[in-house]
Amino acid sequence: MDKKDYYEVLGVSKDASETEIKSAFRKLAKKYHPDVSKEPDAAEKFKEAQEAYAVLSDADKRRQYDQFGHAAFSGASGQGGFDFSGFDFSDIFSDLFGGSFGGFSSFDGFSGFGGRNSKRPQKGRDTVVKVDLDFEEAVFGTKKTINLNLNEKCDDCDGKGGHGTKKCDNCNGTGTVSSRQQTLFGAFMTQTTCSKCGGRGEIFEETCTKCHGKGRVRTNKDIEVKIPEGVDTGNQLRIAGKGEAGVNGGPNGDIYLEFKVKKHPLFVRDANDIHLEFPIDITEAVLGCKKEVPTLEGSVKVNIPAGSQNGDILRLKGKGISDVNYRRKGDMYITLNIVIPRKLDREQKKLFESLSNTDLNKEKEFDRVKKYL
């Protein structure tokens, strides 16, 4: 079954502000919280609202969703949707249910649904990298070395955070601690993540000195990526599994390269087509000629028809840019710009005066205007 549009779930428009998104989620959270609402599908609606808010309240996640929809987060959780188990909802729930709820960070932290399972593998965070490209690099493709600062799995403890494990004596190995909380809506039995073991149910006999128990270390590294031909400004390239290290054995996140292409001094790009404004003199326009015209793949001979007018467009099929997805090539369009001389010597002036007395000024274009004079 297709997932619902996140904007529809929250009841906001696609250009909604952060404040509007937060306000919409607060209303839904208060309405559908499973410990308050009596509606049979409250739990599902509450979870949908949480997932929508977790994405739309994050600028990077929202941008990815606007561009790719739910496919941007495919594989991010066991259900094929966005994994929001690590998202912090505490500011919302603290406002709605009182400050004592500040320890909850996700839907799974509320009664009736169990504490958050911190043992569950979680995918690492995705990373967006801005990449500047020259015009030719975007057109023909290139290789780039990208410098990254990422959290990678600690090799000393194999990402576990320590050495030697034993059952947590604070939660008795369950990973959660139950408590009774009195709120404006009545009494709640809540389960919070164990603060001592972080929900794992286990603690280490010895904390890893390299990662200080986090299981991940900050690493600076270079990766070489192949950029396909035909990319344009705003396009993104996904590099799967090269992002931040996952948690509890979860897969690495992805890297998204977002391109910005510099303008060319001569060519103007329009999708996969190329436009060139090409100057010719008045004699070449009248008599016609063959001209060397620059293209993306070198110069070619182009026939300029006799009687060409300023602004006429010539098409060179297949001389544009390869489509980044289908490898079909666009076309090149040459717009003729007839250059009128600003100064004439005496001989040139006599030639033009002689021409003015010939049938050149008997063209229909002139006659069409003259009848109104």
Side-chain angles (χ1 to χ4, degrees), residues 289-333:
C289 62
K290 288 186 179 292
K291 299 286 288 186
E292 287 275 353
V293 176
T295 72
L296 294 173
E297 300 172 347
S299 61
V300 296
K301 284 270 190 180
V302 175
N303 181 56
I304 309 295
S308 291
Q309 304 294 306
N310 192 58
D312 281 357
I313 297 175
L314 307 178
R315 176 192 178 201
L316 300 183
K317 189 174 181 180
K319 292 296 183 182
I321 299 172
S322 294
D323 188 284
V324 69
N325 294 312
Y326 304 106
R327 293 294 181 267
R328 292 193 302 263
K329 277 204 168 186
D331 301 326
M332 178 173 174
Y333 293 91

Side-chain angles (χ1 to χ4, degrees), residues 33-37 96-97 101 104 110-111 178-191:
H33 187 281
D35 286 335
V36 177
S37 178
L96 290 176
F97 303 110
F101 276 76
F104 291 107
F110 288 93
S111 60
S178 299
S179 62
R180 181 182 176 87
Q181 178 66 46
Q182 188 72 32
T183 73
L184 296 175
F185 297 97
F188 294 88
M189 285 300 296
T190 61
Q191 288 182 327

Side-chain angles (χ1 to χ4, degrees), residues 96 130 227 355 363 366:
L96 290 176
K130 308 286 186 179
I227 298 172
L355 286 172
E363 297 281 354
F366 291 100

Side-chain angles (χ1 to χ4, degrees), residues 154-167 200 202-215:
C154 177
D155 51 11
D156 277 13
C157 63
D158 197 31
K160 296 177 181 178
H163 306 281
T165 59
K166 60 182 180 179
K167 184 167 66 174
R200 293 187 300 271
E202 297 175 333
I203 55 177
F204 298 111
E205 295 178 356
E206 181 184 351
T207 301
C208 178
T209 56
K210 184 175 182 179
C211 66
H212 305 289
K214 297 179 180 178

Side-chain angles (χ1 to χ4, degrees), residues 7-294:
Y7 291 100
E8 291 182 5
V9 170
L10 295 184
V12 298
S13 64
K14 290 192 174 184
D15 58 354
S17 65
E18 292 182 15
T19 302
E20 290 173 325
I21 289 173
K22 184 174 182 178
S23 176
F25 174 63
R26 283 168 53 86
K27 292 177 182 178
L28 293 175
K30 190 172 182 179
K31 180 178 180 181
Y32 292 118
H33 187 281
D35 286 335
V36 177
S37 178
K38 302 301 181 183
E39 296 188 27
D41 58 348
E44 185 61 32
K45 288 185 177 180
F46 183 70
K47 191 171 183 178
E48 285 179 351
Q50 277 196 297
E51 182 173 335
Y53 179 69
V55 171
L56 299 184
S57 63
D58 183 291
D60 287 338
K61 293 289 189 294
R62 183 177 181 180
R63 177 180 47 73
Q64 292 176 37
Y65 176 72
D66 288 343
Q67 186 166 2
F68 300 106
H70 292 289
F73 312 111
S74 60
S77 71
Q79 296 177 335
F82 174 66
D83 180 3
F84 60 92
S85 60
F87 188 86
D88 186 7
F89 294 95
S90 58
D91 60 332
I92 300 291
F93 297 136
S94 178
D95 291 344
L96 290 176
F97 303 110
S100 56
F101 276 76
F104 291 107
S105 61
S106 75
F107 169 78
D108 289 333
F110 288 93
S111 60
F113 297 89
R116 190 177 74 181
N117 183 7
S118 293
K119 295 180 181 180
R120 179 169 58 84
Q122 299 176 41
K123 182 182 177 182
R125 187 176 62 180
D126 295 336
T127 303
V128 179
V129 180
K130 308 286 186 179
V131 179
D132 291 328
L133 295 176
D134 291 332
F135 190 86
E136 290 81 2
E137 290 177 326
V139 170
F140 298 111
T142 187
K143 288 184 178 179
K144 284 281 187 181
T145 299
I146 308 298
N147 182 262
L148 299 167
N149 282 301
L150 296 173
N151 288 321
E152 294 201 318
K153 184 172 73 172
C154 177
D155 51 11
D156 277 13
C157 63
D158 197 31
K160 296 177 181 178
H163 306 281
T165 59
K166 60 182 180 179
K167 184 167 66 174
C168 177
D169 54 8
N170 187 49
C171 64
N172 200 31
T174 63
T176 60
V177 177
S178 299
S179 62
R180 181 182 176 87
Q181 178 66 46
Q182 188 72 32
T183 73
L184 296 175
F185 297 97
F188 294 88
M189 285 300 296
T190 61
Q191 288 182 327
T192 59
T193 300
C194 177
S195 60
K196 187 171 183 179
C197 67
R200 293 187 300 271
E202 297 175 333
I203 55 177
F204 298 111
E205 295 178 356
E206 181 184 351
T207 301
C208 178
T209 56
K210 184 175 182 179
C211 66
H212 305 289
K214 297 179 180 178
R216 300 186 295 175
V217 291
R218 198 70 174 170
T219 305
N220 180 274
K221 66 177 184 178
D222 292 331
I223 63 170
E224 188 176 77
V225 295
K226 183 178 180 181
I227 298 172
E229 57 184 295
V231 299
D232 201 359
T233 295
N235 287 165
Q236 283 191 335
L237 176 65
R238 175 175 173 255
I239 305 173
K242 295 295 184 180
E244 300 252 329
V247 178
N248 297 326
N252 286 5
D254 302 326
I255 294 175
Y256 288 88
L257 303 183
E258 186 172 288
F259 303 113
K260 182 179 180 182
V261 181
K262 296 178 183 177
K263 292 184 178 180
H264 194 277
L266 196 61
F267 302 113
V268 176
R269 180 173 182 172
D270 179 16
N272 295 325
D273 294 330
I274 289 293
H275 293 264
L276 169 67
E277 189 172 291
F278 190 74
I280 59 174
D281 63 40
I282 191 169
T283 305
E284 292 169 332
V286 172
L287 301 178
C289 62
K290 288 186 179 292
K291 299 286 288 186
E292 287 275 353
V293 176

